[in-house]
Structures are given as C-alpha cells and as structure tokens.
Amino acid sequence: MTPYRSRLRAWAVAFLAAVALPAALLGPPTSASAANTLTMLGADVSSVQRSLDLGARYYDAGGTARDPLDILKGLGVNYVRLRVWNNPASGWNNKAKVLAYAKTVKAKGLKLMIDFHYSDTWADPGKQYKPAAWANHGIGQLQTDVYNYTSDVCTSLRNQGTTPDSVQIGNEINVGMLWNDGKVVNNDFTNLSLLLKAGYQATKACNGGTQVIIHTANADSMDHARWFYDGIRAKGVQWDLTALSYYCMWHGTLANLYNVITDVRTRYGKPVVLTETAYPFTAANADNEANAINGTEPCAGHQASWSGQATEFSWVQDTARNAGAVGVFYWEPTWYAVPGNGWDPANINGTGNQWDNMAIFNWTGQVNPSIRWRP
C-alpha cells in the first residue's frame, strides 16, 4: 500500500447515479444464498514495533493503556500481517525485525501472514523496485533470489517456532514485480510467472501447510482482475488464496467490490481475502506530511469520523462476507502520529506519517470505540 491514482469505476457507479440513490443509503450488497463466515479477521501492524519503541501508548475504549495486539484481539482480530523489506535503510521491517515481532504475534495466539515486497522499500501498483543487492540481476538470477530469500525468511520463522500461516509472494503486483525484469509488458506473463513459481516452491518447501497468496489491488474492475489472474493461471502459476486491496476512494463502490470478489472466487476456485482496506476518522492532519487521503467525506457517503470509519469498515466486511470471501484485513490500524515513525524508510526520522488520519487510534492513542472485526 502507498497512494496511487484512482482508476475507472465499474458499472455500479453509473447505475447508482442513474437512479439518483447515493451508495451510502443502499448499504452493502447482500446475497440470499450467502452464509459465509470471515475466518481471517486481520490487521497489518507492520509499523507498530517502531511506534512502541518510540514510546507510543495505546488505550482501549475504557481508557486503559494496553498492548495494541491485546486491544485488537478484543475487537475481534485473529490474524496479523507483517511486511518484510529486504534491506531497508531504516532497518525497520527487515528480516530481523519481522522475526522478533513474529514471536509476539504467535505468543498472543494470533495467526501470521508475511507480506514479501521483494524490495528495500514500498512496492505497490506504481512501483516495484528491485532490492539494491539484486539491481543488476536478470530473470534467471532473480528466480534464484526469490527462492532463496523466501526460503530464508520462512525457514528462520519456522525454526524459531513461528511458522507463517500464509505468505504473499509480492505486494499489489498489478503489473508484475521486480521491475523491469518481472514486469508484464505486452500481455507477456512469462517472467512474472517464473518469479511467482519460485516463491511458491520456496514456501511449500519450507512448510507445506503455509498458504501462498497472490495479491493485487484489482478490486476496481473484473476486467483488470481477470487480465492478471487469467495471465498467471495460463502460465501454470499455483496459489492458494486470491488477495485484493480495497479502498473505496480508489476502487469504487461496494456493489462493484461484491461483483469482483464473486467473480474471482468462482473463476479461479480459490478463497478470496481483502488483505488491505481502511477509512479515515478525520480530515485533519497531525503532522507536516500530507495525508494520503483527504476530505471530510472521501467516499461511500460516510463522514471522516469515528462513526464513519466504523460504518465503512463494517460494510466492507459485510460485502466481503456476502460475496463469499474468507477474510478482511485493516491496513495499519496502529500507525497513528508518532514522531520519528515516518513514511520514508530512507528518512524515517525526518518524514511524517501519511496515514495518521486512517488509523483506528487517534493522535493520543485512544481507539475508535465503535470499530469491530466480525466473523
């Protein structure tokens, strides 16, 4: 996740406009046959180690200071997602940090997802930078790099008793990863498929029960999702879970989300999980770093407020559940405005936080009293 430009919304937007009904009045799409349960109730808390080391405090709805994972568990979370960067300048979110916090996650009785960016910094639809150590490697060597690095992190986690329950082979890889070698150009998925196969094989060699996730930010469009997942399937790529990012400001209506989830679930025969979603609790900014999301009502007809945030998150969960998905993860709910925990890993002390209005904790660490994860 990092900010990127919105794309075309699907037919649902035009339909809602035609009948002159705001999406917020309609609520989440439902299906009479849907009887699904969300089993992966997740939170990506990749920044929380740094926040805690800087003295951040987290308070439950009753005003009691507690470990943030305990607060999240009390709100229904059963799964934690942690990103891993190869060699970030700040040192945060590297292998050693992930190994350390994985012990905390597992000790709390939570499941663990590892999100491989295969980069020293953010990877998302607009950028997929190779790690500096792999900068001059071609596709042949990159296959070995992906295999060895994935194996090393997974095996190290397993050997300390914190085997990951799932791993992402790449983060929001809409048009590939490890550019330019692994970028999809002219609809050619060959190189990307080689990298994804290497990651899959390394994960299964480490632990056959660890689920492999292929993650895109293609919740905006069935056409985009089909183009990508059809492309990798045609090349023989295997995966266990299909993952999407959904932010209503970039990916359109809940009606559209419902259709995309339903389509990819049935088309590929694999469980679907939203590994990223979030909504602002305020339009204000806590620091000098511009917020990724602005506005008092950025989308969905909900105010940027604690109530609006809780409602939007509830509706996203309802939509995912009704469409037959198995999980929803909130992205960085604990990353509130803590000086020194900046956005840029190359300047973590000198940059601010673009997500301070999107966390579920306010700027003094009080949790949104209305937000819940629900099966």
Side-chain angles (χ1 to χ4, degrees), residues 38-73:
L38 298 178
T39 57
M40 301 172 70
L41 303 170
D44 186 316
V45 295
S46 298
S47 69
V48 77
Q49 279 178 286
R50 172 75 174 176
S51 293
L52 289 168
D53 281 2
L54 291 168
R57 303 271 284 181
Y58 294 87
Y59 300 90
D60 64 21
T64 301
R66 299 172 61 199
D67 184 292
L69 290 184
D70 290 332
I71 297 173
L72 291 174
K73 278 188 69 175

Side-chain angles (χ1 to χ4, degrees), residues 6-87:
S6 60
R7 295 166 289 183
L8 293 176
R9 293 190 177 189
W11 64 268
V13 176
F15 172 77
L16 291 171
V19 299
L21 289 174
L25 296 180
L26 300 181
T30 60
S31 170
S33 61
N36 194 51
T37 298
L38 298 178
T39 57
M40 301 172 70
L41 303 170
D44 186 316
V45 295
S46 298
S47 69
V48 77
Q49 279 178 286
R50 172 75 174 176
S51 293
L52 289 168
D53 281 2
L54 291 168
R57 303 271 284 181
Y58 294 87
Y59 300 90
D60 64 21
T64 301
R66 299 172 61 199
D67 184 292
L69 290 184
D70 290 332
I71 297 173
L72 291 174
K73 278 188 69 175
L75 299 176
V77 168
N78 64 15
Y79 219 125
V80 164
R81 179 182 189 241
L82 300 177
R83 65 178 167 267
V84 59
W85 289 331
N86 289 45
N87 187 26

Side-chain angles (χ1 to χ4, degrees), residues 27-245:
T30 60
S31 170
S33 61
N36 194 51
T37 298
L38 298 178
T39 57
M40 301 172 70
L41 303 170
D44 186 316
V45 295
S46 298
S47 69
V48 77
Q49 279 178 286
R50 172 75 174 176
S51 293
L52 289 168
D53 281 2
L54 291 168
R57 303 271 284 181
Y58 294 87
Y59 300 90
D60 64 21
T64 301
R66 299 172 61 199
D67 184 292
L69 290 184
D70 290 332
I71 297 173
L72 291 174
K73 278 188 69 175
L75 299 176
V77 168
N78 64 15
Y79 219 125
V80 164
R81 179 182 189 241
L82 300 177
R83 65 178 167 267
V84 59
W85 289 331
N86 289 45
N87 187 26
S90 66
W92 293 91
N93 301 122
N94 65 9
K95 173 189 166 184
K97 296 294 186 183
V98 168
L99 286 171
Y101 202 61
K103 293 180 180 179
T104 302
V105 169
K106 289 288 190 173
K108 299 287 187 184
L110 297 163
K111 290 189 174 183
L112 176 65
M113 179 190 297
I114 299 299
D115 176 13
F116 285 97
H117 282 227
Y118 300 111
S119 182
D120 297 331
T121 187
W122 301 101
D124 60 40
K127 55 186 178 295
Q128 297 279 335
Y129 304 128
K130 291 180 186 176
W134 304 355
N136 297 319
H137 294 181
I139 190 62
Q141 181 59 48
L142 287 171
Q143 291 176 72
T144 302
D145 293 334
V146 169
Y147 187 97
N148 289 344
Y149 182 70
T150 306
S151 177
D152 177 50
V153 174
C154 183
T155 303
S156 297
L157 286 163
R158 184 195 67 198
N159 289 347
Q160 70 171 17
T162 60
T163 302
D165 298 280
S166 59
V167 302
Q168 286 187 203
I169 307 301
N171 186 75
E172 294 188 331
I173 56 171
N174 293 29
V175 288
M177 65 189 201
L178 292 168
W179 293 353
N180 285 319
D181 297 81
K183 191 171 187 176
V184 179
V185 179
N186 295 326
N187 300 313
D188 185 354
F189 285 82
T190 302
N191 283 3
L192 175 60
S193 72
L194 295 172
L195 299 175
L196 295 177
K197 289 175 183 178
Y200 180 92
Q201 292 161 3
T203 302
K204 295 302 183 178
C206 169
N207 180 56
T210 297
Q211 294 184 300
V212 172
I213 297 168
I214 305 296
H215 172 216
T216 68
N218 283 331
D220 66 318
S221 161
M222 278 193 289
D223 288 342
H224 293 161
R226 286 181 176 186
W227 174 82
F228 180 88
Y229 292 103
D230 280 2
I232 63 171
R233 183 175 64 176
K235 291 294 183 179
V237 173
Q238 295 178 280
W239 73 99
D240 301 313
L241 290 168
T242 302
L244 302 168
S245 295

Side-chain angles (χ1 to χ4, degrees), residues 335-373:
W335 196 9
Y336 75 87
V338 181
N341 197 4
W343 188 265
D344 183 359
N347 186 18
I348 196 167
N349 290 305
T351 52
N353 180 352
Q354 298 181 16
W355 212 246
D356 54 54
N357 67 327
M358 302 287 284
I360 70 165
F361 293 85
N362 68 13
W363 303 337
T364 53
Q366 281 78 28
V367 73
N368 182 340
S370 300
I371 205 161
R372 296 288 185 278
W373 283 252

Side-chain angles (χ1 to χ4, degrees), residues 223-308:
D223 288 342
H224 293 161
R226 286 181 176 186
W227 174 82
F228 180 88
Y229 292 103
D230 280 2
I232 63 171
R233 183 175 64 176
K235 291 294 183 179
V237 173
Q238 295 178 280
W239 73 99
D240 301 313
L241 290 168
T242 302
L244 302 168
S245 295
Y246 174 73
Y247 300 93
C248 59
M249 337 61 197
W250 297 316
H251 298 123
T253 64
L254 292 171
N256 183 61
L257 174 64
Y258 176 90
N259 291 332
V260 174
I261 292 173
T262 302
D263 187 68
V264 297
R265 178 177 57 80
T266 55
R267 190 175 183 86
Y268 307 108
K270 303 179 191 302
V272 177
V273 57
L274 300 183
T275 49
E276 295 186 21
T277 194
Y279 199 79
F281 71 87
T282 180
N285 186 7
D287 56 28
N288 293 324
E289 190 84 20
N291 289 339
I293 305 300
N294 298 300
T296 58
E297 187 182 298
C299 56
H302 303 312
Q303 289 293 312
S305 63
W306 263 347
S307 175

